[in-house]
Amino acid sequence: PEEARSIFEDLPRNPTYKHVHDFFQRFVVKLYGHQPVPVSMIRDMTTLFKYNRKNGATFWDATSISLTCALASPNLIFVVERDIELDQLDIANRLSLLLWSSVPDKTLIQLARKGELTKPEIYAQQFERMIEDDKAQRFFETFTNQWLELDRLEVVNIDEELFPQLKDQEDALKESMTKETQSFMRHLIMEKKPAREIVNADFTMLNSHLARHYGIETPGIDENHFSKVKLEGEHKVRGGILGQGAIQM
């Protein structure tokens, strides 16, 4: 990414320990997305860099080791609870982690620094902006997978003697079933549908592969895209998550 490249470009050709210290500080600030950075982290990264350089590591190897330690820090992997009221930057960070699984962007940070993010109308605007961003797909996937334990499909084996027609299609079918449920939940949220439609909807999201498996005729859709399909007749039982293959398996 451009922002990451700019951090490395700030290093001079022959950096001193002070240059390295400042580089680590810039890196960690970007990495933490404006969360409070542990004071000892920059010092420890610089100390580790010095140790490895004195023991024969190249500049880039020593730098890589220190950056790896920062990336593996529990303070980065987990949101650390603090016994103080959340400030606006905390809220920006948590909102971004929830919807994007990433750090806040410049717009969110600027609003937080101005003290405007928690105004109800601005917060609602930012939520809408973020949920419509492509990065929000991470939220729909992780939320749905964790809530409904869709990862368990990976350990479900289809009996090829009972279902010989599914031979060599198992992996593709499981992937399609997972994406059906993810796409279905995304549609409900984006369209602000009532919660009852989670289990009682008159549609589902299908690609051509899954439609054939369900025995539903869907002219005009292909294998690579999931489209909203209205369910009629005997296929109404597929409405809602309880009728979807990922849940029934």
Side-chain angles (χ1 to χ4, degrees):
E2 187 64 32
E3 288 183 303
R5 190 181 302 115
S6 66
I7 296 175
F8 286 94
E9 288 176 349
D10 288 339
L11 279 171
R13 182 177 294 273
N14 297 303
T16 64
Y17 285 138
K18 177 65 167 59
H19 290 133
V20 172
H21 176 277
D22 293 344
F23 162 72
F24 286 154
Q25 187 167 27
R26 291 192 301 274
F27 177 86
V28 170
V29 168
K30 290 280 187 182
L31 186 67
Y32 272 66
H34 304 276
Q35 292 185 74
V37 177
V39 176
S40 61
M41 177 171 285
I42 310 301
R43 182 188 65 239
D44 292 345
M45 291 174 69
T46 306
T47 300
L48 182 61
F49 173 85
K50 291 179 179 178
Y51 172 83
N52 285 303
R53 285 291 281 156
K54 289 178 179 177
N55 283 273
T58 66
F59 174 85
W60 291 111
D61 284 345
T63 302
S64 177
I65 292 170
S66 292
L67 296 183
T68 300
C69 290
L71 291 167
S73 170
N75 291 301
L76 175 68
I77 298 173
F78 303 103
V79 175
V80 179
E81 297 289 345
R82 296 180 293 151
D83 295 328
I84 60 174
E85 184 177 353
L86 296 179
D87 61 25
Q88 300 238 353
L89 286 173
D90 289 326
I91 293 172
N93 192 64
R94 293 185 181 213
L95 181 61
S96 187
L97 288 173
L98 172 66
L99 297 181
W100 288 349
S101 299
S102 185
V103 297
D105 62 5
K106 290 181 179 179
T107 300
L108 215 57
I109 293 300
Q110 288 172 355
L111 289 170
R113 285 177 171 166
K114 292 178 181 177
E116 297 179 352
L117 182 58
T118 52
K119 292 180 179 178
E121 67 279 5
I122 292 180
Y123 189 88
Q125 290 170 1
Q126 290 307 303
F127 182 89
E128 292 290 339
R129 176 182 71 86
M130 296 174 72
I131 204 73
E132 291 175 2
D133 191 283
D134 290 342
K135 288 182 285 188
Q137 182 62 26
R138 303 167 189 169
F139 163 73
F140 293 110
E141 291 177 359
T142 57
F143 168 72
T144 308
N145 287 4
Q146 291 178 14
W147 175 39
L148 299 173
E149 299 182 351
L150 299 184
D151 292 343
R152 64 187 171 78
L153 281 179
E154 297 178 5
V155 298
V156 174
N157 294 317
I158 298 176
D159 192 327
E160 293 183 358
E161 292 186 5
L162 292 176
F163 304 99
Q165 71 275 21
L166 299 182
K167 186 177 181 180
D168 301 324
Q169 297 183 37
E170 182 173 337
D171 291 341
L173 184 60
K174 288 179 180 179
E175 182 179 359
S176 292
M177 288 178 172
T178 299
K179 289 185 177 180
E180 175 193 16
T181 303
Q182 293 171 346
S183 301
F184 176 77
M185 290 304 302
R186 180 186 180 107
H187 181 83
L188 291 185
I189 294 172
M190 295 299 292
E191 298 299 322
K192 300 181 175 62
K193 295 292 185 179
R196 65 176 178 272
E197 292 199 15
I198 294 175
V199 295
N200 185 26
D202 63 356
F203 72 95
T204 190
M205 308 294 289
L206 299 177
N207 65 355
S208 59
H209 185 193
L210 196 55
R212 285 194 302 272
H213 177 70
Y214 288 163
I216 300 174
E217 293 187 9
T218 52
I221 66 173
D222 60 38
E223 190 168 332
N224 297 319
H225 299 90
F226 281 75
S227 302
K228 180 180 178 181
V229 175
K230 186 174 178 59
L231 299 169
E232 298 177 343
E234 63 180 350
H235 299 301
K236 287 184 177 180
V237 295
R238 293 287 180 189
I241 60 173
L242 298 181
Q244 294 172 3
I247 305 303
Q248 293 185 346
M249 285 184 67

